[in-house]
Amino acid sequence: MTYTSLILCKISVAVTSALGLYLCTTLCGQLSLGTAGFMSIGAYIFAFFGSAVGVAAAPALLFLVTFPLGFLLLRLSGDYLAAATLGIAELVRICLSNFSAVGGAGGTAVDFRLNPATAVAGTILILFLVFLFSKTKTAHLCRAISMDETASRGCGVNVTFVKSLTFALSCAVCGFAGCLYAGAVGFVCPNDFTFTRSCETLAAVIIGGKNPLAVMLCATALEILSALLVGFAEIKMIVYGTALLLCALRRRNA
Amino acid sequence: MMQQILNSLTVGAVYSLVTVGYAMVFSVLNMINFAHTDMMMLGAYAGYLVARQGGGLFLQIVVGTTVGAVMSAVVERSVYRRLYDKSPLKLMTSAIAVSVILQYSVMMAFSASPRPYPTGQLSDAVSLFGAKTTELRLFAVGITAVVFTALAFLVAKTKTGLHIRAAAQDSLGAMAVGIDRNKVISLTFLIGGAAAGLAGVMYGNMYLITPLMSGNIGIKAFVCTVAGGKGSLWGAVLGAYLLSFSETAVCTFLGSGYKDAVSFVILIAVLLFNKRSGKQ
């Protein structure tokens, strides 16, 4: 795999995970810091089951697990949800690091590789699906909830159900991003999926704003930036942080 | 057994120093200050610089505490204050951003590699009830006790403490009776930052410091805050010791690989099963 195609794959991964987080955070107003955790689950499922089955099974499995989990988790509001999802992501990472069956902290090689064209096609598919989803009635309910949860409940919206559904969809998309990552890089280890990755995704989503296309462009730009700043990881993170801070301070609807 | 208890006591002291700032900010603002433990990291690095120049423990503590307090107040004044009346998500996003900027700026200055403080501060071994420890660790427990007694006095007996309690109970009501909310908030950030800076110096004298050390401790301090009942001073101590003792127990019985998992399990359990927590 050439350097350019690896970057292309990484961009697809970043865009896909950002779109996943977009569903939960922008559309529904629920801040999740667990992106990396859900990605790692997808990546590990792909690493062990490979092939087309893995790509389909990982998001489906994540959806099935996180949907009921959402009913429990999304009772929590704002900061607490963020902390709980961060906790789940870190728990997943610690467990993966300690289970020798999945390679422990050293990680594991992935046999089934995806070529860049497949990764890009997968991302475009997700973008299309997210776009479709944002036109559905559920998405409108999500927007209503993100604006005023109590009022939505008062209007008869099944808030918990809608939030859980969106959360599970978001997790499934992040899991899919994990599959793309595993297939493209050919190696997964728990430390590929730290809080830093969740932060990078969050930066793309917050800076991108309300439009999924803008989120896509933003994730792409940030990924290109990090490719240019390879070897200067500190500068990259400082730029991310500054951009995030400026967005929080300046934008009206960040 | 005695050894484990003694270790937990020391670790718990550091945790409580970090937690107290978290808890105080939490009580007046209802905000998870993700950048709070970075004040501890800054304090630890400030102390490290002093120690490398040959400064003694006292000087380290003075410098570390000052750096923690000043930085905490500066961040509050320049960033958070603009966002109090906006959405809590913005406040938290900005805290994450501040945290990332601070961590990676320090990493640029000092590199990511873990650093030890130069040894020599109160490093004599002490034997206590058949368990071994160092003078330094006992000093850490002692200074934590002093700090908490002072804080308890401040909160319970002084007028400033009354203002803090009022703002924590009902910030709108407090403003209505003429309490300067911003001043109270600044003060809690200042006190919290100072305690975190002190914790950083004590931590640095015992363990290795890295620019990213705050991430893990941050979530732990948050766990202590939530487990100890959100925002009360003694709750913070209780939460800190609950965590340090369970961590030591897990280390002993399950192995150290799962040590950091304890805090997350407690966090999720408390959030999910305690009906009252998790509501803003």
Side-chain angles (χ1 to χ4, degrees):
Chain A
M1 185 179 279
T2 63
Y3 180 68
T4 327
S5 52
L6 183 68
I7 298 297
L8 203 61
C9 286
K10 286 195 157 179
I11 290 176
S12 332
V13 174
V15 170
T16 315
S17 57
L19 287 173
L21 188 62
Y22 166 85
L23 290 177
C24 185
T25 300
T26 313
L27 218 51
C28 206
Q30 309 298 316
L31 184 58
S32 158
L33 291 176
T35 322
F38 300 116
M39 280 176 79
S40 69
I41 295 176
Y44 270 80
I45 293 178
F46 184 82
F48 282 93
F49 298 100
S51 74
V53 183
V55 177
L61 199 70
L62 269 166
F63 182 84
L64 289 178
V65 173
T66 50
F67 187 51
L69 187 69
F71 280 90
L72 276 176
L73 273 181
L74 293 160
R75 287 192 299 117
L76 307 171
S77 55
D79 298 7
Y80 294 99
L81 178 70
T85 45
L86 170 62
I88 290 175
E90 287 294 307
L91 264 183
V92 169
R93 191 172 64 80
I94 292 168
C95 289
L96 288 175
S97 307
N98 282 291
F99 286 158
S100 48
V102 293
T108 183
V110 183
D111 296 329
F112 190 83
R113 300 293 295 275
L114 294 174
N115 59 14
T118 327
V120 173
T123 307
I124 293 173
L125 176 73
I126 293 293
L127 180 66
F128 181 65
L129 290 178
V130 167
F131 213 74
L132 277 188
F133 179 77
S134 69
K135 302 286 175 214
T136 58
K137 192 183 161 203
T138 318
H140 290 309
L141 295 182
C142 284
R143 290 192 193 98
I145 292 171
S146 75
M147 279 173 193
D148 193 329
E149 197 175 316
T150 320
S152 317
R153 207 182 285 276
C155 295
V157 178
N158 189 344
V159 171
T160 322
F161 179 81
V162 173
K163 283 204 300 195
S164 303
L165 182 70
T166 323
F167 179 67
L169 282 176
S170 153
C171 293
V173 175
C174 290
F176 184 72
C179 291
L180 294 184
Y181 179 85
V185 177
F187 180 80
V188 285
C189 85
N191 284 340
D192 290 338
F193 303 100
T194 54
F195 182 53
T196 311
R197 184 172 289 277
S198 302
C199 271
E200 290 171 3
T201 316
L202 182 69
V205 171
I206 300 274
I207 300 167
K210 292 215 179 291
N211 191 336
L213 277 174
V215 170
M216 187 192 85
L217 287 179
C218 193
T220 311
L222 287 178
E223 200 55 42
I224 292 174
L225 180 77
S226 71
L228 291 177
L229 287 176
V230 70
F232 303 96
E234 297 93 349
I235 299 182
K236 179 185 100 181
M237 289 309 287
I238 292 174
V239 171
Y240 276 23
T242 316
L244 205 56
L245 189 60
L246 287 179
C247 267
L249 286 178
R250 294 267 165 250
R251 282 268 286 277
R252 229 181 307 149
N253 292 317
Chain B
M1 188 61 190
M2 202 55 219
Q3 186 70 51
Q4 260 76 350
I5 293 177
L6 207 58
N7 289 349
S8 311
L9 276 177
T10 329
V11 177
V14 175
Y15 285 172
S16 10
L17 280 178
V18 188
T19 308
V20 67
Y22 237 119
M24 285 177 82
V25 167
F26 198 85
S27 67
V28 291
L29 261 185
N30 231 331
M31 161 205 187
I32 303 178
N33 183 5
F34 268 91
H36 175 64
T37 35
D38 293 300
M39 304 312 150
M40 171 190 180
M41 184 265 296
L42 291 176
Y45 272 89
Y48 169 77
L49 282 181
V50 174
R52 216 173 47 177
Q53 300 299 323
L57 186 61
F58 180 70
L59 195 62
Q60 290 170 25
I61 289 178
V62 171
V63 173
T65 311
T66 314
V67 167
V70 169
M71 282 306 291
S72 180
V74 166
V75 169
E76 188 271 331
R77 191 76 179 76
S78 57
V79 180
Y80 302 149
R81 186 168 290 186
R82 298 154 183 254
L83 298 169
Y84 291 152
D85 304 320
K86 309 233 169 84
S87 103
L89 279 191
K90 277 191 171 185
L91 203 54
M92 190 163 72
T93 317
S94 67
I96 294 177
V98 167
S99 164
V100 167
I101 294 173
L102 288 177
Q103 287 173 5
Y104 286 90
S105 307
V106 170
M107 195 189 276
M108 248 170 92
F110 288 91
S111 90
S113 51
R115 285 158 190 268
Y117 271 40
T119 47
Q121 303 299 328
L122 300 176
S123 57
D124 290 344
V126 180
S127 214
L128 205 70
F129 307 114
K132 286 196 182 62
T133 185
T134 59
E135 281 176 5
L136 181 84
R137 284 165 182 254
L138 291 181
F139 177 73
V141 178
I143 200 166
T144 308
V146 173
V147 167
F148 269 90
T149 316
L151 278 181
F153 177 78
L154 175 85
V155 171
K157 300 283 180 204
T158 63
K159 200 171 172 186
T160 322
L162 187 69
H163 289 181
I164 295 179
R165 277 183 290 144
Q169 228 166 46
D170 183 346
S171 68
L172 217 60
M175 285 203 295
V177 293
I179 293 174
D180 187 348
R181 174 163 164 256
N182 283 344
K183 217 164 114 186
V184 170
I185 293 173
S186 287
L187 189 72
T188 53
F189 271 90
L190 200 71
I191 296 173
L198 173 64
V201 172
M202 298 324 292
Y203 184 93
N205 272 297
M206 293 186 253
Y207 308 99
L208 299 173
I209 58 171
T210 74
L212 299 184
M213 67 194 229
S214 48
N216 233 338
I217 300 172
I219 197 83
K220 284 179 184 172
F222 175 64
V223 173
C224 301
T225 312
V226 175
K230 287 196 265 178
S232 100
L233 205 58
W234 298 112
V237 185
L238 192 74
Y241 277 102
L242 176 76
L243 181 64
S244 70
F245 275 98
S246 5
E247 276 190 357
T248 315
V250 168
C251 267
T252 318
F253 297 115
L254 282 179
S256 58
Y258 287 102
K259 185 185 131 201
D260 289 338
V262 178
S263 47
F264 299 116
V265 173
I266 297 183
L267 169 70
I268 294 169
V270 171
L271 284 181
L272 289 188
F273 298 113
N274 184 354
K275 288 268 184 244
R276 271 189 309 142
S277 62
K279 299 273 187 295
Q280 298 253 313

